[in-house]
């Protein structure tokens, strides 16, 4: 599909330059019946308001690398590594324990208890340790009778379990979808929202129902993020297909509630450096949660370079909070792609993504972004960390390696503003 016919960015906003009023960028008039290219009109309907997720959540999760091979020492060492690596200073502040932290059965009072062999000190002591590092602790359960690894889950136990986690000092809940008795997600997930809110503790609520019932349509007043896809795997094919699926729901995300295409696989070994760089760039542009899924205690230099790119992270955490999306495709099987999204300050983030098997040149024209072709833009390369063009007019293009991307911020010259 050629998105050139899709017209213009109607979202314009005021900013200040030298304390004076600034008129937004010139834009092309939108033809009747043509949708806004960066529409986010679905965002904000009945939005959950617990003060969290004003930007997408950042942190670490145990599942992608460790699966069930977890224990309290690992969690403590991970918290330490987030600090020592500098990732915590960049915003990666949730340390999230996934499945397998629990004992196989509830206690005689019907309460959840941690596995005494792997978490002998208990979750409260672990939360205290993590909090002592200035970080936050996340826990896992399922909106079913068992978790995916057949541990006790929280369906019909919402109030008791939420109260237990709050008493331990838990800050985040990932709530899965296994063993759900065939009850619709829209009936199973709100009770935990209510239970978490009733504890008096502010707990981030991450729905993980795999996108089965299109949660973007109903989860905005239920959780702070919602999975739009099945589980990611550490392959190029999985990552690219999941990006496409998540793109469908771009208009429904915004501050307080985000589309979640699953956790990052960067550093787990199944993709190349350039493929991982594409993965991180697109997740950042899509305003996806940035939850590291590798062993942060033993990262390579290249992995740390990707995860610690401040300029790419800033796109993800931009306060405007509009999810970037796919705006143009070309080439064999649409493998040459332009993804873009508006940022605060009248800027645009643009990713030129080559999903072909050979290097190609990819161009983006201003009309693709809904901008007047006469505007002069400066262009900054977020992976080279340098300004590459100061006066681009009409279009911009670069050569992009196979299975790679280049990421830029486009900023209008001040001469385009009337002060």
């Amino acid at each position: 599909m050629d998105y050139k016919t899709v017209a213009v960015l109607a979202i314009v906003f005021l900013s200040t330059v030298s304390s004076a009023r600034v008129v937004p960028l010139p834009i092309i008039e939108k033809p009747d019946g043509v949708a806004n290219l960066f529409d986010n009109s679905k965002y904000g309907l009945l939005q959950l308001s617990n003060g969290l997720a004003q930007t997408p959540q950042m942190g670490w999760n145990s599942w992608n690398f460790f699966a069930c091979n977890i224990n309290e020492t690992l969690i403590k060492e991970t918290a330490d590594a987030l600090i020592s690596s500098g990732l915590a200073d960049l915003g990666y502040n949730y340390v999230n324990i996934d499945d397998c932290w629990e004992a196989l059965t509830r206690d005689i009072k019907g309460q959840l208890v941690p596995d005494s062999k792997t978490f002998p000190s208990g979750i409260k002591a672990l939360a205290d340790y993590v909090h002592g590092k200035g970080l936050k602790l996340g826990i896992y359960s399922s909106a079913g009778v068992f978790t995916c690894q057949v541990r006790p889950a929280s369906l019909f136990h919402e109030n008791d379990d939420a109260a237990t986690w709050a008493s331990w000092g838990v800050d985040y809940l990932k709530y899965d979808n296994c063993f759900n008795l065939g009850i619709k997600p829209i009936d199973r997930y709100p009770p935990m929202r209510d239970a978490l809110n009733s504890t008096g503790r502010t707990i981030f609520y991450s729905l993980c129902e795999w996108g089965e019932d299109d949660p973007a349509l109903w989860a905005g007043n239920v959780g702070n993020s919602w999975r739009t896809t099945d589980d990611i795997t550490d392959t190029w094919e999985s990552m690219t297909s999941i990006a496409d699926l998540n793109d469908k729901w771009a208009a429904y995300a915004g501050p307080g509630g985000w589309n979640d295409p699953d956790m990052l696989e960067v550093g787990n070994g199944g993709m190349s450096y350039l493929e991982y760089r594409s993965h991180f760039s697109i997740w950042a542009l899509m305003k996806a949660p940035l939850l590291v899924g590798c062993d942060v205690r033993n990262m390579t230099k290249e992995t740390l370079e990707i995860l610690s790119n401040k300029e790419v992270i800033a796109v993800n955490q931009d306060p405007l909070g509009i999810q970037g999306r796919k705006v143009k495709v070309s080439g064999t099987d649409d493998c040459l792609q332009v993804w873009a999204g508006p940022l605060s300050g009248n800027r645009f983030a643009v990713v030129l993504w080559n999903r072909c098997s050979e290097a190609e040149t990819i161009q983006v024209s201003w009309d693709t972004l809904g901008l007047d072709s006469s505007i002069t833009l400066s262009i900054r390369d977020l992976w080279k960390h340098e300004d590459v063009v100061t006066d681009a007019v009409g279009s911009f293009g670069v050569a992009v390696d196979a299975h790679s991307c280049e990421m830029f911020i486009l900023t209008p010259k001040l001469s385009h503003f009337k002060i």
Side-chain angles (χ1 to χ4, degrees):
M1 178 179 180
D2 188 347
Y3 286 84
K4 281 188 174 180
T5 58
V6 183
V8 115
L9 171 63
I11 299 166
V12 292
F13 45 88
L14 295 177
S15 60
T16 57
V17 176
S18 301
S19 301
R21 188 174 71 87
V22 176
V23 177
L25 282 173
I27 58 174
I28 310 165
E29 290 190 9
K30 183 174 65 175
D32 292 340
V34 177
N36 174 13
L37 180 59
F38 296 109
D39 172 45
N40 71 336
S41 61
K42 306 301 183 183
Y43 160 73
L45 304 177
L46 303 174
Q47 197 72 23
L48 176 67
S49 181
N50 61 4
L52 298 177
Q54 294 306 296
T55 58
Q57 67 268 39
M58 296 176 63
W60 173 88
N61 180 282
S62 60
W63 184 258
N64 282 1
F65 187 85
F66 293 99
C68 273
N69 298 314
I70 58 173
N71 56 56
E72 63 183 43
T73 300
L74 167 66
I75 303 305
K76 289 180 178 180
E77 290 177 352
T78 296
D80 295 343
L82 288 173
I83 300 294
S84 63
S85 66
L87 291 177
D89 288 337
L90 297 175
Y92 295 94
N93 57 8
Y94 284 106
V95 183
N96 293 343
I97 310 169
D98 211 283
D99 207 348
C100 302
W101 64 270
E102 302 171 62
L104 294 174
T105 59
R106 292 175 179 268
D107 68 13
I108 58 174
K109 296 180 180 180
Q111 302 299 307
L112 294 175
V113 290
D115 188 315
S116 61
K117 293 181 179 179
T118 51
F119 293 88
S121 302
I123 302 301
K124 186 181 187 309
L126 189 55
D128 290 345
Y129 183 90
V130 170
H131 293 157
K133 299 287 181 178
L135 303 172
K136 299 177 181 180
L137 186 75
I139 208 75
Y140 166 96
S141 189
S142 182
V145 292
F146 298 105
T147 71
C148 297
Q149 298 301 310
V150 202
R151 309 290 175 110
S154 299
L155 187 64
F156 310 130
H157 292 271
E158 291 88 355
N159 288 324
D160 283 348
D161 292 354
T164 295
W165 297 324
S167 72
W168 290 345
V170 165
D171 304 292
Y172 185 112
L173 172 65
K174 175 184 174 182
Y175 205 38
D176 219 333
N177 196 33
C178 288
F179 296 98
N180 57 46
L181 303 183
I183 303 171
K184 289 184 176 297
I186 198 170
D187 295 323
R188 285 182 290 112
Y189 282 88
M192 183 56 79
R193 170 203 59 195
D194 298 339
L196 293 172
N197 288 343
S198 70
T199 66
R201 183 174 181 81
T202 305
I203 298 175
F204 192 107
Y205 188 23
S206 171
L207 280 61
C208 182
E209 66 87 80
W210 317 323
E212 289 192 342
D213 276 36
D214 298 336
L217 298 176
W218 53 265
N221 69 332
V222 180
N224 296 114
S225 66
W226 44 85
R227 277 278 296 280
T228 55
T229 71
D230 203 349
D231 290 357
I232 194 171
T233 61
D234 189 16
T235 65
W236 172 256
E237 292 74 21
S238 173
M239 183 270 289
T240 54
S241 64
I242 279 178
D244 292 339
L245 290 170
N246 190 64
D247 182 54
K248 174 181 177 181
W249 304 107
Y252 292 82
W258 306 99
N259 293 315
D260 178 6
D262 206 4
M263 300 167 290
L264 294 166
E265 291 284 5
V266 176
N268 282 333
M271 287 183 263
S272 69
Y273 166 76
L274 291 178
E275 289 171 341
Y276 280 139
R277 199 175 78 170
S278 296
H279 179 17
F280 192 70
S281 298
I282 292 295
W283 258 236
L285 183 81
M286 292 194 299
K287 303 298 188 291
L290 298 182
L291 295 174
V292 178
C294 68
D295 183 357
V296 294
R297 304 169 306 170
N298 297 291
M299 291 181 290
T300 65
K301 181 180 179 181
E302 288 183 337
T303 295
L304 182 59
E305 175 198 335
I306 292 172
L307 296 175
S308 62
N309 188 320
K310 294 180 180 179
E311 296 189 75
V312 175
I313 292 171
V315 170
N316 180 259
Q317 298 290 296
D318 185 76
L320 186 61
I322 295 178
Q323 179 174 325
R325 61 207 72 184
K326 190 188 305 182
V327 297
K328 180 184 176 183
V329 296
S330 60
T332 304
D333 296 325
D334 295 337
C335 62
L336 301 176
Q337 302 187 352
V338 178
W339 293 59
L343 302 174
S344 58
N346 286 311
R347 301 169 301 147
F348 275 88
V350 174
V351 174
L352 306 181
W353 195 8
N354 182 3
R355 290 161 57 163
C356 306
S357 57
E358 297 181 356
E360 299 279 356
T361 295
I362 305 177
Q363 286 198 326
V364 56
S365 60
W366 293 185
D367 63 339
T368 296
L369 303 176
L371 297 175
D372 189 299
S373 61
S374 65
I375 292 173
T376 302
L377 300 173
S378 64
I379 299 176
R380 181 168 180 82
D381 188 314
L382 302 192
W383 286 105
K384 292 181 179 178
H385 302 293
E386 63 183 33
D387 297 326
V388 291
V389 180
T390 59
D391 55 356
V393 178
S395 66
F396 170 75
V398 294
V400 184
D401 289 334
H403 286 205
S404 183
C405 78
E406 300 296 337
M407 189 170 188
F408 306 94
I409 286 182
L410 280 56
T411 304
K413 304 289 280 189
L414 291 181
S415 59
H416 289 290
F417 296 115
K418 297 177 182 180
I419 300 176

